[in-house]
Amino acid sequence: MKILFKALKYFSFLIVVWFLAHTIYIVIDGLSDRHQKADIAVILGSKVNEDGTLSERLKQRLESGLKLYKSNRVKKILVSGGFGKEKYYEGDKMKEFLVQKGVPDSLIIVDNLGNNTRSTVENTLKMRSKEKFNSIIVVSQYFHVTRTKKLFEDKGFENVSSVSPNYYEWRDLYSIVREFPAYYTQ
């Protein structure tokens, strides 16, 4: 029984160390902007409010994508999100925001079927031959970009970097914890 207890204690310790190392890695990776250029920015969706306005988190992601476009780091922008319980397609609302900020309609690609990260990655890659891109900058919250890049790489697309907005919320703590199992199970 003592051996089993010691093994459990050791295993628990290893899980905690693994979690901490993983968390440090995704935070550092997510906050790093290597200032690379790419053919396209892929901005992942987030909540649209019941009145049709964008949540602050989504607005900040779009502002980050807008900076990429205005600084000539990307040529096109793909916005991806699903149909929320608020009865809006995130992608359409995201495009509306970018057009109002001066991005030409013709340079924005909308994916309204990006209900989750995996769907966004799969839908983006399906558009590759039509949209002719060989490099991507993923735009999402810092804790989310490492997993998103991994999903692209798992599908054989390796020229992917990331940018995240300088926007933080208390719920990021929950999201960081959630990313640990999500990274290994998606």
Side-chain angles (χ1 to χ4, degrees), residues 31-51:
L31 293 174
S32 299
D33 179 358
R34 293 176 181 85
H35 301 282
Q36 293 175 294
K37 288 187 173 191
D39 296 325
I40 193 167
V42 177
I43 306 174
L44 284 85
S46 193
K47 183 181 177 191
V48 174
N49 298 317
E50 289 182 16
D51 64 359

PDB file of all heavy atoms in Angstrom, residues 31-51:
ATOM      1  N   LEU A  31       2.563  34.966 -26.327  1.00  0.00           N
ATOM      2  CA  LEU A  31       2.869  36.390 -26.207  1.00  0.00           C
ATOM      3  C   LEU A  31       3.992  36.830 -27.149  1.00  0.00           C
ATOM      4  O   LEU A  31       4.278  38.018 -27.257  1.00  0.00           O
ATOM      5  CB  LEU A  31       3.236  36.732 -24.768  1.00  0.00           C
ATOM      6  CG  LEU A  31       2.096  36.612 -23.754  1.00  0.00           C
ATOM      7  CD1 LEU A  31       2.618  36.827 -22.338  1.00  0.00           C
ATOM      8  CD2 LEU A  31       0.964  37.572 -24.073  1.00  0.00           C
ATOM      9  N   SER A  32       4.624  35.872 -27.820  1.00  0.00           N
ATOM     10  CA  SER A  32       5.735  36.183 -28.716  1.00  0.00           C
ATOM     11  C   SER A  32       5.226  36.536 -30.107  1.00  0.00           C
ATOM     12  O   SER A  32       4.454  35.795 -30.698  1.00  0.00           O
ATOM     13  CB  SER A  32       6.680  34.983 -28.819  1.00  0.00           C
ATOM     14  OG  SER A  32       7.220  34.677 -27.569  1.00  0.00           O
ATOM     15  N   ASP A  33       5.672  37.650 -30.598  1.00  0.00           N
ATOM     16  CA  ASP A  33       5.390  38.051 -31.978  1.00  0.00           C
ATOM     17  C   ASP A  33       6.744  38.164 -32.659  1.00  0.00           C
ATOM     18  O   ASP A  33       7.550  39.027 -32.335  1.00  0.00           O
ATOM     19  CB  ASP A  33       4.650  39.391 -32.010  1.00  0.00           C
ATOM     20  CG  ASP A  33       4.344  39.884 -33.416  1.00  0.00           C
ATOM     21  OD1 ASP A  33       4.748  39.204 -34.398  1.00  0.00           O
ATOM     22  OD2 ASP A  33       3.728  40.941 -33.542  1.00  0.00           O
ATOM     23  N   ARG A  34       6.977  37.288 -33.607  1.00  0.00           N
ATOM     24  CA  ARG A  34       8.272  37.258 -34.296  1.00  0.00           C
ATOM     25  C   ARG A  34       8.305  38.231 -35.476  1.00  0.00           C
ATOM     26  O   ARG A  34       9.243  38.224 -36.256  1.00  0.00           O
ATOM     27  CB  ARG A  34       8.586  35.837 -34.711  1.00  0.00           C
ATOM     28  CG  ARG A  34       8.825  34.962 -33.479  1.00  0.00           C
ATOM     29  CD  ARG A  34       9.048  33.506 -33.806  1.00  0.00           C
ATOM     30  NE  ARG A  34       9.244  32.733 -32.599  1.00  0.00           N
ATOM     31  CZ  ARG A  34       8.278  32.226 -31.851  1.00  0.00           C
ATOM     32  NH1 ARG A  34       7.013  32.435 -32.171  1.00  0.00           N
ATOM     33  NH2 ARG A  34       8.544  31.525 -30.783  1.00  0.00           N
ATOM     34  N   HIS A  35       7.241  39.017 -35.618  1.00  0.00           N
ATOM     35  CA  HIS A  35       7.143  40.062 -36.647  1.00  0.00           C
ATOM     36  C   HIS A  35       7.331  39.526 -38.065  1.00  0.00           C
ATOM     37  O   HIS A  35       7.894  40.198 -38.916  1.00  0.00           O
ATOM     38  CB  HIS A  35       8.110  41.213 -36.345  1.00  0.00           C
ATOM     39  CG  HIS A  35       7.844  41.835 -35.016  1.00  0.00           C
ATOM     40  ND1 HIS A  35       6.811  42.726 -34.810  1.00  0.00           N
ATOM     41  CD2 HIS A  35       8.442  41.657 -33.813  1.00  0.00           C
ATOM     42  CE1 HIS A  35       6.795  43.082 -33.545  1.00  0.00           C
ATOM     43  NE2 HIS A  35       7.762  42.449 -32.914  1.00  0.00           N
ATOM     44  N   GLN A  36       6.860  38.309 -38.279  1.00  0.00           N
ATOM     45  CA  GLN A  36       6.937  37.707 -39.605  1.00  0.00           C
ATOM     46  C   GLN A  36       5.819  38.239 -40.491  1.00  0.00           C
ATOM     47  O   GLN A  36       4.798  38.714 -40.007  1.00  0.00           O
ATOM     48  CB  GLN A  36       6.819  36.190 -39.497  1.00  0.00           C
ATOM     49  CG  GLN A  36       8.000  35.559 -38.792  1.00  0.00           C
ATOM     50  CD  GLN A  36       7.810  34.081 -38.584  1.00  0.00           C
ATOM     51  OE1 GLN A  36       6.929  33.669 -37.844  1.00  0.00           O
ATOM     52  NE2 GLN A  36       8.632  33.294 -39.245  1.00  0.00           N
ATOM     53  N   LYS A  37       6.033  38.121 -41.783  1.00  0.00           N
ATOM     54  CA  LYS A  37       4.993  38.416 -42.758  1.00  0.00           C
ATOM     55  C   LYS A  37       4.358  37.097 -43.161  1.00  0.00           C
ATOM     56  O   LYS A  37       4.969  36.038 -43.020  1.00  0.00           O
ATOM     57  CB  LYS A  37       5.582  39.107 -43.988  1.00  0.00           C
ATOM     58  CG  LYS A  37       6.015  40.528 -43.732  1.00  0.00           C
ATOM     59  CD  LYS A  37       6.422  41.193 -45.020  1.00  0.00           C
ATOM     60  CE  LYS A  37       6.690  42.669 -44.756  1.00  0.00           C
ATOM     61  NZ  LYS A  37       6.844  43.420 -45.997  1.00  0.00           N
ATOM     62  N   ALA A  38       3.129  37.166 -43.683  1.00  0.00           N
ATOM     63  CA  ALA A  38       2.440  35.965 -44.147  1.00  0.00           C
ATOM     64  C   ALA A  38       1.466  36.355 -45.242  1.00  0.00           C
ATOM     65  O   ALA A  38       1.138  37.538 -45.409  1.00  0.00           O
ATOM     66  CB  ALA A  38       1.703  35.287 -42.996  1.00  0.00           C
ATOM     67  N   ASP A  39       1.003  35.370 -45.966  1.00  0.00           N
ATOM     68  CA  ASP A  39       0.016  35.616 -47.016  1.00  0.00           C
ATOM     69  C   ASP A  39      -1.335  36.007 -46.436  1.00  0.00           C
ATOM     70  O   ASP A  39      -2.057  36.807 -47.019  1.00  0.00           O
ATOM     71  CB  ASP A  39      -0.151  34.364 -47.898  1.00  0.00           C
ATOM     72  CG  ASP A  39       1.120  34.014 -48.646  1.00  0.00           C
ATOM     73  OD1 ASP A  39       1.857  34.944 -49.048  1.00  0.00           O
ATOM     74  OD2 ASP A  39       1.385  32.811 -48.822  1.00  0.00           O
ATOM     75  N   ILE A  40      -1.666  35.412 -45.289  1.00  0.00           N
ATOM     76  CA  ILE A  40      -3.014  35.604 -44.754  1.00  0.00           C
ATOM     77  C   ILE A  40      -3.010  35.561 -43.225  1.00  0.00           C
ATOM     78  O   ILE A  40      -2.235  34.824 -42.627  1.00  0.00           O
ATOM     79  CB  ILE A  40      -3.964  34.520 -45.329  1.00  0.00           C
ATOM     80  CG1 ILE A  40      -5.422  34.835 -45.072  1.00  0.00           C
ATOM     81  CG2 ILE A  40      -3.600  33.138 -44.832  1.00  0.00           C
ATOM     82  CD1 ILE A  40      -6.374  33.968 -45.884  1.00  0.00           C
ATOM     83  N   ALA A  41      -3.858  36.380 -42.622  1.00  0.00           N
ATOM     84  CA  ALA A  41      -4.105  36.302 -41.181  1.00  0.00           C
ATOM     85  C   ALA A  41      -5.395  35.516 -40.994  1.00  0.00           C
ATOM     86  O   ALA A  41      -6.371  35.726 -41.712  1.00  0.00           O
ATOM     87  CB  ALA A  41      -4.262  37.693 -40.575  1.00  0.00           C
ATOM     88  N   VAL A  42      -5.395  34.598 -40.056  1.00  0.00           N
ATOM     89  CA  VAL A  42      -6.597  33.843 -39.706  1.00  0.00           C
ATOM     90  C   VAL A  42      -7.006  34.292 -38.312  1.00  0.00           C
ATOM     91  O   VAL A  42      -6.332  33.992 -37.329  1.00  0.00           O
ATOM     92  CB  VAL A  42      -6.349  32.319 -39.739  1.00  0.00           C
ATOM     93  CG1 VAL A  42      -7.596  31.566 -39.308  1.00  0.00           C
ATOM     94  CG2 VAL A  42      -5.892  31.876 -41.120  1.00  0.00           C
ATOM     95  N   ILE A  43      -8.107  35.043 -38.245  1.00  0.00           N
ATOM     96  CA  ILE A  43      -8.586  35.579 -36.972  1.00  0.00           C
ATOM     97  C   ILE A  43      -9.712  34.687 -36.476  1.00  0.00           C
ATOM     98  O   ILE A  43     -10.742  34.548 -37.138  1.00  0.00           O
ATOM     99  CB  ILE A  43      -9.078  37.029 -37.114  1.00  0.00           C
ATOM    100  CG1 ILE A  43      -7.992  37.912 -37.735  1.00  0.00           C
ATOM    101  CG2 ILE A  43      -9.507  37.577 -35.745  1.00  0.00           C
ATOM    102  CD1 ILE A  43      -8.432  39.335 -38.040  1.00  0.00           C
ATOM    103  N   LEU A  44      -9.505  34.078 -35.321  1.00  0.00           N
ATOM    104  CA  LEU A  44     -10.509  33.190 -34.753  1.00  0.00           C
ATOM    105  C   LEU A  44     -11.590  33.988 -34.037  1.00  0.00           C
ATOM    106  O   LEU A  44     -11.299  34.998 -33.387  1.00  0.00           O
ATOM    107  CB  LEU A  44      -9.862  32.188 -33.804  1.00  0.00           C
ATOM    108  CG  LEU A  44      -9.125  31.064 -34.547  1.00  0.00           C
ATOM    109  CD1 LEU A  44      -7.727  31.475 -34.922  1.00  0.00           C
ATOM    110  CD2 LEU A  44      -9.115  29.805 -33.735  1.00  0.00           C
ATOM    111  N   GLY A  45     -12.815  33.518 -34.156  1.00  0.00           N
ATOM    112  CA  GLY A  45     -13.962  34.223 -33.615  1.00  0.00           C
ATOM    113  C   GLY A  45     -14.073  34.133 -32.107  1.00  0.00           C
ATOM    114  O   GLY A  45     -13.380  33.375 -31.437  1.00  0.00           O
ATOM    115  N   SER A  46     -14.969  34.931 -31.599  1.00  0.00           N
ATOM    116  CA  SER A  46     -15.332  34.946 -30.190  1.00  0.00           C
ATOM    117  C   SER A  46     -16.732  35.551 -30.115  1.00  0.00           C
ATOM    118  O   SER A  46     -17.347  35.822 -31.145  1.00  0.00           O
ATOM    119  CB  SER A  46     -14.310  35.768 -29.394  1.00  0.00           C
ATOM    120  OG  SER A  46     -14.464  35.562 -28.008  1.00  0.00           O
ATOM    121  N   LYS A  47     -17.182  35.798 -28.955  1.00  0.00           N
ATOM    122  CA  LYS A  47     -18.582  36.187 -28.744  1.00  0.00           C
ATOM    123  C   LYS A  47     -18.985  37.510 -29.412  1.00  0.00           C
ATOM    124  O   LYS A  47     -18.275  38.502 -29.347  1.00  0.00           O
ATOM    125  CB  LYS A  47     -18.834  36.307 -27.245  1.00  0.00           C
ATOM    126  CG  LYS A  47     -20.260  36.633 -26.909  1.00  0.00           C
ATOM    127  CD  LYS A  47     -20.469  36.769 -25.425  1.00  0.00           C
ATOM    128  CE  LYS A  47     -21.911  37.159 -25.176  1.00  0.00           C
ATOM    129  NZ  LYS A  47     -22.143  37.559 -23.829  1.00  0.00           N
ATOM    130  N   VAL A  48     -20.157  37.451 -30.039  1.00  0.00           N
ATOM    131  CA  VAL A  48     -20.860  38.649 -30.488  1.00  0.00           C
ATOM    132  C   VAL A  48     -21.971  38.874 -29.467  1.00  0.00           C
ATOM    133  O   VAL A  48     -22.691  37.946 -29.104  1.00  0.00           O
ATOM    134  CB  VAL A  48     -21.450  38.464 -31.907  1.00  0.00           C
ATOM    135  CG1 VAL A  48     -22.299  39.667 -32.302  1.00  0.00           C
ATOM    136  CG2 VAL A  48     -20.339  38.213 -32.922  1.00  0.00           C
ATOM    137  N   ASN A  49     -22.118  40.083 -28.983  1.00  0.00           N
ATOM    138  CA  ASN A  49     -23.125  40.391 -27.961  1.00  0.00           C
ATOM    139  C   ASN A  49     -24.537  40.292 -28.534  1.00  0.00           C
ATOM    140  O   ASN A  49     -24.734  40.330 -29.745  1.00  0.00           O
ATOM    141  CB  ASN A  49     -22.878  41.790 -27.386  1.00  0.00           C
ATOM    142  CG  ASN A  49     -21.531  41.879 -26.695  1.00  0.00           C
ATOM    143  OD1 ASN A  49     -21.120  40.988 -25.959  1.00  0.00           O
ATOM    144  ND2 ASN A  49     -20.822  42.977 -26.958  1.00  0.00           N
ATOM    145  N   GLU A  50     -25.517  40.194 -27.646  1.00  0.00           N
ATOM    146  CA  GLU A  50     -26.920  40.052 -28.054  1.00  0.00           C
ATOM    147  C   GLU A  50     -27.410  41.212 -28.906  1.00  0.00           C
ATOM    148  O   GLU A  50     -28.293  41.038 -29.736  1.00  0.00           O
ATOM    149  CB  GLU A  50     -27.818  39.867 -26.827  1.00  0.00           C
ATOM    150  CG  GLU A  50     -27.619  38.506 -26.174  1.00  0.00           C
ATOM    151  CD  GLU A  50     -28.533  38.286 -24.981  1.00  0.00           C
ATOM    152  OE1 GLU A  50     -29.528  39.025 -24.818  1.00  0.00           O
ATOM    153  OE2 GLU A  50     -28.247  37.351 -24.212  1.00  0.00           O
ATOM    154  N   ASP A  51     -26.819  42.394 -28.725  1.00  0.00           N
ATOM    155  CA  ASP A  51     -27.231  43.558 -29.521  1.00  0.00           C
ATOM    156  C   ASP A  51     -26.472  43.653 -30.849  1.00  0.00           C
ATOM    157  O   ASP A  51     -26.625  44.620 -31.589  1.00  0.00           O
ATOM    158  CB  ASP A  51     -27.076  44.847 -28.718  1.00  0.00           C
ATOM    159  CG  ASP A  51     -25.633  45.157 -28.349  1.00  0.00           C
ATOM    160  OD1 ASP A  51     -24.722  44.369 -28.683  1.00  0.00           O
ATOM    161  OD2 ASP A  51     -25.406  46.211 -27.713  1.00  0.00           O
TER     162      ASP A  51
END
